[in-house]
Amino acid sequence: MTFRPLHDRVLVRRVEAEEKTAGGIIIPDTAKEKPQEGEVISVGSGTKAEDGSVTPLDVKAGDRILFGKWSGTEVRLNGEDLLIMKESDILGIVG
């Protein structure tokens, strides 16, 4: 199944969280917070203005991004847990 987000929405795959702290302590799954970093899988065509012009999104497929803790809607596509969010939920691109 293929999926293409509409308008200003972005499909994101979360980046796995670290399993150890900097001091070497292993973090159990129950104590891990969901990561706020992800990789853009696909993007919509952009926002449409009232005059019909389309403004493309600043992010593109392959970008690593940071997003808010409660951003997006979790979906399951092809057996994989992904997020769909608006571009405005994205805090920035990791360089």
Side-chain angles (χ1 to χ4, degrees):
M1 171 174 59
T2 60
F3 179 84
R4 185 177 56 91
L6 297 176
H7 309 296
D8 65 338
R9 289 185 173 72
V10 179
L11 184 65
V12 176
R13 176 186 299 124
R14 284 188 197 268
V15 173
E16 290 301 315
E18 291 293 322
E19 297 194 10
K20 288 185 180 181
T21 64
I25 298 171
I26 296 175
I27 305 168
D29 287 340
T30 55
K32 284 184 195 171
E33 288 192 23
K34 289 185 178 179
Q36 293 173 254
E37 187 175 345
E39 178 187 357
V40 175
I41 305 299
S42 63
V43 299
S45 58
T47 55
K48 190 178 263 190
E50 287 184 23
D51 66 359
S53 63
V54 176
T55 304
L57 303 183
D58 289 331
V59 296
K60 63 186 179 311
D63 285 347
R64 277 181 83 100
I65 59 167
L66 293 177
F67 49 87
K69 192 172 205 164
W70 308 109
S71 298
T73 301
E74 293 184 355
V75 295
R76 189 165 187 87
L77 295 171
N78 299 331
E80 185 176 16
D81 291 325
L82 302 171
L83 288 168
I84 299 173
M85 65 182 66
K86 288 187 168 239
E87 186 185 39
S88 60
D89 292 335
I90 296 172
L91 303 174
I93 300 171
V94 179

